Amino acid sequence: MRLAVLASGEGSNLQALIDRVHLPGVAEIVLVVSDKPAARALKRAAEAGIETATFELSEHPDRAARDAAIAARLSAEDVDLVVLAGYMAILSPDFIAAFRGRIINIHPSLLPKFPGLAAIERAVESGESQTGVTVHHVDEGVDSGELIAQESVAIDPDETLEQLTERIHAVEHELLVRVVAGLAAQERSE
Ligand code: GRF
């Protein structure tokens, strides 16, 4: 399976995939795309010898044109699965249509609860006793696509937001690796 990972920031989920899924010829991250040239994710990819590409909005007439350029590049790379791992831009409908059913996202809440930004913070502020992590298919909405896998995380009222965030990230890395490895195994058996 040929994977592309789209990431805007830190790239810790990308790192988990590099460390535990990336195996050229089997499940290979062929390209890491970012909308932000300073994203640490790009560095992590380069260090692993994975090709990178940056598509800044300011270099394209609009978002649809930028996303069309990304889609063209992914098609040229013959990508089977697009993984959004902390990609902070909304993808345009044409991009979703071009890769429908082949785009997944990781989100730090038990969707459909707390879609969008600051999901961990909002779960705590709402007095939830648990939150969690979701991997889901991507559709035209914000974190609204069909669920693939979820893992819950209890909220400890005595811990800081940073501590909870760190625990959630660790769960994200496990869940994303499990889902992507599972999809790759499925693809191999087809
Ligand atoms: C993660 O919390 C992910 O769920 C969300 O953005 C964050 C990305 O973290 N979509 P990282 O860049 O993978 O470290």
Side-chain angles (χ1 to χ4, degrees):
M1 185 164 75
R2 294 172 66 79
L3 301 159
V5 179
L6 273 56
S8 302
E10 179 58 28
S12 69
N13 282 286
L14 165 68
Q15 190 68 54
L17 294 174
I18 290 172
D19 293 342
R20 293 171 57 194
V21 177
H22 179 58
L23 187 58
V26 181
E28 179 173 1
I29 303 171
V30 294
L31 182 67
V32 170
V33 166
S34 187
D35 55 335
K36 301 263 185 287
R40 173 132 184 250
L42 291 170
K43 256 201 183 127
R44 292 179 190 268
E47 277 165 16
I50 297 168
E51 210 173 316
T52 63
T54 306
F55 293 84
E56 279 185 275
L57 191 51
S58 58
E59 288 173 358
H60 300 270
D62 56 22
R63 189 165 60 92
R66 188 262 301 270
D67 290 358
I70 299 176
R73 179 68 191 269
L74 299 189
S75 297
E77 300 281 355
D78 209 9
V79 162
D80 301 303
L81 184 71
V82 181
V83 180
L84 309 186
Y87 187 65
M88 300 306 286
I90 307 240
L91 289 162
S92 48
D94 284 351
F95 184 97
I96 308 288
F99 292 93
R100 191 171 302 283
R102 296 189 288 140
I103 317 171
I104 66 171
N105 180 45
I106 179 134
H107 182 76
S109 78
L110 291 176
L111 291 173
K113 284 187 171 177
F114 309 110
L117 295 173
I120 303 174
E121 212 169 328
R122 285 186 291 125
V124 172
E125 279 165 6
S126 306
E128 299 280 329
S129 61
Q130 62 167 15
T131 183
V133 173
T134 302
V135 178
H136 63 95
H137 288 288
V138 173
D139 65 10
E140 285 77 1
V142 174
D143 301 321
S144 58
E146 192 193 332
L147 307 187
I148 300 172
Q150 287 189 311
E151 186 93 32
S152 54
V153 175
I155 296 178
D156 174 353
D158 294 329
E159 74 188 330
T160 63
L161 184 63
E162 287 68 30
Q163 287 168 327
L164 174 61
T165 300
E166 200 172 308
R167 286 200 300 123
I168 287 177
H169 279 156
V171 173
E172 286 187 332
H173 303 157
E174 291 297 319
L175 195 68
L176 187 61
V177 163
R178 203 193 313 150
V179 167
V180 174
L183 292 172
Q186 198 177 311
E187 174 113 349
R188 280 199 296 280
S189 69
E190 273 168 10

